[in-house]
Amino acid sequence: MTQFQPHDSSRPRLGVLGGMGPLAGASFAVRIVQLTAASKDQDHIPVILVNDPDIPDRSTAHFGQGDSPLPAMIRGLHTLESTGVDCIAIPCNTAHLWFEELHQASSKPILHIVDAVIHDLQRQQTLQGTIGLLGTPATLKTRLYQNRLESAGYKPIIPTQTEIQELLVPAIAAVKANRVDKAYAPMMHAIDLLRERGAESIVLGCTELPLAIPYSQRSKVGIPLSDSIDALAREAIRWINQQEALTQAVH
Amino acid sequence: MTQFQPHDSSRPRLGVLGGMGPLAGASFAVRIVQLTAASKDQDHIPVILVNDPDIPDRSTAHFGQGDSPLPAMIRGLHTLESTGVDCIAIPCNTAHLWFEELHQASSKPILHIVDAVIHDLQRQQTLQGTIGLLGTPATLKTRLYQNRLESAGYKPIIPTQTEIQELLVPAIAAVKANRVDKAYAPMMHAIDLLRERGAESIVLGCTELPLAIPYSQRSKVGIPLSDSIDALAREAIRWINQQEALTQAVH
């Protein structure tokens, strides 16, 4: 509280396209703060969050049962760009099914959540082996994670169709409806089933899922977890810090 | 997950000028989500958060020891206005020492955090009596809360200067430094002292302070708390819902 810095508008800023769901978007902003090494306000990262809950549902759109989320997501990206952000994070795994279109529509780099999770597995020293993957029906079916995990040397396994519909879908819907407590038991059941089938680590590959496991409970789960909210937050902090170091090196 | 609505850009949007501190700004966005009645993503409120940690420290500026935060706060307001928000909340009590200047500089209504806390006391059926007030040295000294609480029929009391410096200042600094656990004991001590002096209810009148008391512990504190983050979140949700009802009545 005793050091002062002038407002430096050249500091790199992170843009967050959130609202998918809204709790994931806002919690991502919290995790950016909590995972930053800081001793005062001014050590933290400037963040602009567009938490737009009106973006049409990504899973239903993917299965041809609802409006495409793409126009609303692109509007959100353009809003973020207009505020001067330098890089964009999208804390929603299913939104990454449109990653190429979003990347094309944006003048700023967009971090990829699956790359962030792979970096997080490496950070946790999980360098190979069987990875149990939880996510929405759309991300699991389209192999959003599986192809990249295999390229990186992992063996991904996923729940059965019945388990996805009876455990993951209700858990995700409960978080979106502010009933986080109702998501815990089905998600734990899904994790246990994957562990019985050989998973050595679990990827929480939908940003609703980490919200259902309190941080104080994580060490008791009995298997390492890679949380896609935290993984993307760490990736964003690293990007901003690198960019800031580069900017300072130039000046 | 079964209903679809087209993206309706005419829906009222909340702007949040945050970063003071960053955890308070991001946590405010989380509380907006958690305090909204919702059964799916699209029931939540559209929020744009500018979480700008580079805004100069409000307390030190007030005491003439640092840059004024006003230019950076006005820049943040203008960024929010440019994104099309309809109303602005500022989850920082000390920032409200510049409320008049911010109000003059903004084309959109700004909710006042002290009004929000008074509405929250009324919601809790605390309609009169002695209110123990915690806050930053600057807000307590300038009577940001005291005058409005007295006008509303309450009797505010505050900690001594020594208690402010030895309990509140370190608690607030700990939250800004991501050491939330270090803030709990000094804040509880300050609450106990005010209770011994007759406080019947406590106002957490700095947005860092609520972050130090887990929600699961609040019923054990033994005295009603009015949390300025939650009070402002409830005020904002009410404003947006009323605006939405008006908009729908017109169409």
Side-chain angles (χ1 to χ4, degrees):
Chain A
M1 307 266 284
T2 52
Q3 277 188 294
F4 306 103
Q5 296 175 337
H7 178 83
D8 178 0
S9 59
S10 70
R11 253 186 99 189
R13 293 173 166 210
L14 175 66
V16 182
L17 180 60
M20 304 176 281
L23 189 58
S27 298
F28 178 79
V30 167
R31 295 302 284 165
I32 287 282
V33 177
Q34 290 176 330
L35 294 171
T36 297
S39 65
K40 59 184 187 301
D41 284 0
Q42 292 75 15
D43 293 335
H44 288 276
I45 288 173
V47 171
I48 315 253
L49 164 68
V50 171
N51 220 29
D52 181 2
D54 290 325
I55 297 174
D57 190 83
R58 284 65 59 199
S59 287
T60 42
H62 175 77
F63 291 115
Q65 297 170 301
D67 291 336
S68 168
L70 189 59
M73 289 196 288
I74 290 176
R75 259 198 306 274
L77 288 181
H78 290 167
T79 298
L80 286 169
E81 288 173 36
S82 75
T83 67
V85 301
D86 296 278
C87 154
I88 292 170
I90 307 177
C92 171
N93 289 273
T94 314
H96 285 70
L97 296 180
W98 288 268
F99 185 83
E100 272 310 312
E101 293 90 331
L102 295 170
H103 171 70
Q104 293 295 330
S106 174
S107 65
K108 299 295 173 185
I110 304 176
L111 304 174
H112 198 297
I113 200 164
V114 180
D115 291 339
V117 165
I118 289 173
H119 295 157
D120 190 55
L121 288 168
Q122 292 165 345
R123 184 187 63 82
Q124 296 186 42
Q125 303 298 320
T126 303
L127 303 177
Q128 55 179 10
T130 304
I131 307 292
L133 189 55
L134 303 184
T136 61
T139 55
L140 296 176
K141 188 174 179 210
T142 54
R143 299 180 52 82
L144 175 69
Y145 270 86
Q146 289 94 313
N147 295 340
R148 284 173 187 246
L149 282 171
E150 285 170 3
S151 299
Y154 300 99
K155 184 189 165 204
I157 60 171
I158 66 170
T160 66
Q161 279 307 310
T162 307
E163 290 159 9
I164 293 168
Q165 291 303 325
E166 293 183 358
L167 299 174
L168 299 184
V169 169
I172 293 165
V175 173
K176 291 180 185 291
N178 277 341
R179 298 300 307 274
V180 167
D181 54 313
K182 297 285 180 200
Y184 184 78
M187 196 172 58
M188 283 301 145
H189 189 179
I191 289 174
D192 283 341
L193 290 166
L194 289 175
R195 181 168 38 193
E196 287 167 15
R197 292 173 205 149
E200 295 155 86
S201 200
I202 298 287
V203 168
L204 304 175
C206 165
T207 51
E208 261 55 59
L209 296 173
L211 304 168
I213 314 186
Y215 296 105
S216 57
Q217 299 293 317
R218 299 217 175 168
S219 61
K220 300 173 198 159
V221 175
I223 186 167
L225 300 176
S226 182
D227 164 338
S228 55
I229 291 183
D230 278 14
L232 187 61
R234 289 181 196 278
E235 190 89 347
I237 292 166
R238 190 163 44 238
W239 194 97
I240 293 286
N241 286 344
Q242 280 178 353
Q243 196 66 21
E244 196 157 16
L246 282 173
T247 310
Q248 288 172 349
V250 169
H251 292 297
Chain B
M1 307 266 284
T2 52
Q3 278 187 294
F4 307 103
Q5 296 174 338
H7 179 82
D8 178 0
S9 59
S10 70
R11 256 187 99 187
R13 292 171 167 212
L14 175 66
V16 182
L17 181 60
M20 305 176 281
L23 189 57
S27 299
F28 178 79
V30 167
R31 295 302 284 163
I32 287 283
V33 178
Q34 291 176 329
L35 294 171
T36 298
S39 66
K40 59 185 186 301
D41 284 359
Q42 293 74 16
D43 293 335
H44 287 276
I45 289 173
V47 170
I48 314 252
L49 164 68
V50 171
N51 220 28
D52 181 2
D54 290 325
I55 298 174
D57 190 86
R58 286 64 58 198
S59 288
T60 40
H62 175 78
F63 291 115
Q65 296 170 303
D67 292 336
S68 168
L70 190 59
M73 289 196 287
I74 291 176
R75 258 197 307 272
L77 289 181
H78 291 167
T79 299
L80 286 170
E81 288 173 36
S82 76
T83 66
V85 302
D86 296 278
C87 154
I88 292 169
I90 307 176
C92 172
N93 288 273
T94 314
H96 284 71
L97 297 179
W98 288 268
F99 186 83
E100 272 311 311
E101 293 90 332
L102 295 171
H103 171 70
Q104 293 294 330
S106 174
S107 65
K108 298 295 174 186
I110 305 177
L111 304 175
H112 198 297
I113 200 163
V114 180
D115 292 338
V117 165
I118 290 173
H119 295 156
D120 190 55
L121 289 168
Q122 292 164 345
R123 184 186 64 81
Q124 296 188 41
Q125 303 297 321
T126 302
L127 304 177
Q128 55 179 8
T130 303
I131 306 293
L133 189 54
L134 303 185
T136 61
T139 55
L140 295 176
K141 187 175 181 210
T142 54
R143 299 181 54 80
L144 175 70
Y145 271 87
Q146 290 95 313
N147 294 340
R148 284 172 186 246
L149 283 171
E150 285 171 2
S151 298
Y154 300 99
K155 184 189 167 205
I157 62 172
I158 67 170
T160 65
Q161 279 306 310
T162 307
E163 290 159 9
I164 293 168
Q165 290 303 325
E166 294 182 359
L167 300 174
L168 299 184
V169 169
I172 293 165
V175 173
K176 290 180 186 292
N178 278 341
R179 298 300 307 272
V180 167
D181 55 314
K182 297 286 179 200
Y184 184 78
M187 195 171 58
M188 283 300 144
H189 189 181
I191 290 174
D192 283 341
L193 290 166
L194 290 176
R195 181 167 39 193
E196 287 168 15
R197 291 170 204 150
E200 296 155 87
S201 201
I202 298 288
V203 168
L204 304 175
C206 165
T207 51
E208 261 54 60
L209 296 173
L211 302 168
I213 315 186
Y215 296 106
S216 59
Q217 299 293 315
R218 298 218 175 168
S219 60
K220 300 175 197 157
V221 175
I223 186 167
L225 300 176
S226 182
D227 165 337
S228 56
I229 291 183
D230 278 14
L232 187 62
R234 290 180 195 278
E235 190 89 346
I237 293 166
R238 191 162 44 239
W239 194 97
I240 293 286
N241 286 344
Q242 280 177 354
Q243 196 66 20
E244 196 158 14
L246 282 172
T247 310
Q248 287 173 347
V250 170
H251 292 297

